Amino acid sequence: MLLGPVAFKKAGNNVLDEDLTADPYPTWQKLEELVDKGKIKNIGISKIQNLTANSLKHQPAVNQVELNFWNPQPELLQWSKENDLLLEAYSPLGSNKQVGATLGVPEVRATFAGRPSVSLIILQVKDIACKLGITPAQVIISWHVQRGTVVLPKSVTASRIVENLDVFELPQEDFEALEKAANSHSPQRVVNPSKGWKLPFDVFDGQ
């Protein structure tokens, strides 16, 4: 997998390679050579920018991105479907804090600036879970799958790992309600390594 969105030089600790960060195509070409030699079957990408501007010999098999109820990225999802590129969602339930919020029981229904509050959005998840007799996590994971994406939920609890394997087809009205709720708030990105990598810029600036 070609993992981005930045490239580092071999020497040093997190020394930015500005050329390969701006243009990851040379790295991609090396991976294509491995496909041609039969060393690998497919190439995936994750958080890569400025790649599709080049002529690709091999189509990426999958694009792994942050995709969840709090950062649904509908434009990217639509573009990926139009270009036959499978999206793979990491952090599909959000951050640890967001997971707790998503799966918790809210007590307040309200709106802010004409938009549903977080509590109201969360309540929709809980209502659907209760109606269908499944857990809130299963509602969100099923929503992901119904959107046409691969889901990578993480857990260290055996019962939750088993639970996360059960995917259900949501009634269309519930699926559309979740889709509307997910897109009713400003996107909240969970994973942004810019500060941890001590970069002088935000790797997701403009996205």
Side-chain angles (χ1 to χ4, degrees), residues 21-37:
T21 294
D23 182 13
Y25 188 54
T27 304
W28 176 263
Q29 288 179 304
K30 292 298 182 182
L31 290 171
E32 287 185 322
E33 290 178 8
L34 294 177
V35 175
D36 293 337
K37 293 177 181 178

Side-chain angles (χ1 to χ4, degrees), residues 11-26:
N13 183 25
N14 289 359
V15 178
L16 183 67
D17 189 320
E18 296 184 8
D19 292 336
L20 285 179
T21 294
D23 182 13
Y25 188 54

Side-chain angles (χ1 to χ4, degrees), residues 119-133:
S119 293
L120 181 56
I121 293 169
I122 296 168
L123 191 58
Q124 288 179 301
V125 176
K126 294 289 293 185
D127 284 347
I128 292 172
C130 289
K131 182 176 75 171
L132 301 180

Side-chain angles (χ1 to χ4, degrees), residues 31-152:
L31 290 171
E32 287 185 322
E33 290 178 8
L34 294 177
V35 175
D36 293 337
K37 293 177 181 178
K39 300 292 185 179
I40 58 176
K41 290 184 177 181
N42 298 292
I43 313 171
I45 58 176
S46 181
K47 305 183 291 294
I48 292 296
Q49 306 177 57
N50 307 324
L51 181 64
T52 54
N54 301 279
S55 177
L56 304 182
K57 186 176 182 180
H58 297 285
Q59 171 80 2
V62 65
N63 183 17
Q64 186 185 95
V65 298
E66 179 185 321
L67 203 64
N68 53 59
F69 195 70
W70 306 102
N71 189 24
Q73 304 204 59
E75 295 84 3
L76 177 61
L77 178 62
Q78 181 62 36
W79 182 91
S80 298
K81 289 181 177 179
E82 292 172 354
N83 289 273
D84 197 27
L85 178 57
L86 181 63
L87 280 187
E88 186 175 272
Y90 68 78
S91 298
L93 297 177
S95 67
N96 290 337
K97 181 178 179 181
Q98 289 171 327
V99 169
T102 304
L103 308 185
V105 181
E107 298 178 353
V108 181
R109 291 173 179 258
T111 60
F112 178 74
R115 292 187 173 188
S117 71
V118 171
S119 293
L120 181 56
I121 293 169
I122 296 168
L123 191 58
Q124 288 179 301
V125 176
K126 294 289 293 185
D127 284 347
I128 292 172
C130 289
K131 182 176 75 171
L132 301 180
I134 60 179
T135 69
Q138 289 172 326
V139 170
I140 296 298
I141 292 171
S142 298
W143 166 73
H144 275 290
V145 173
Q146 210 154 320
R147 295 180 98 208
T149 66
V150 175
V151 190
L152 294 176

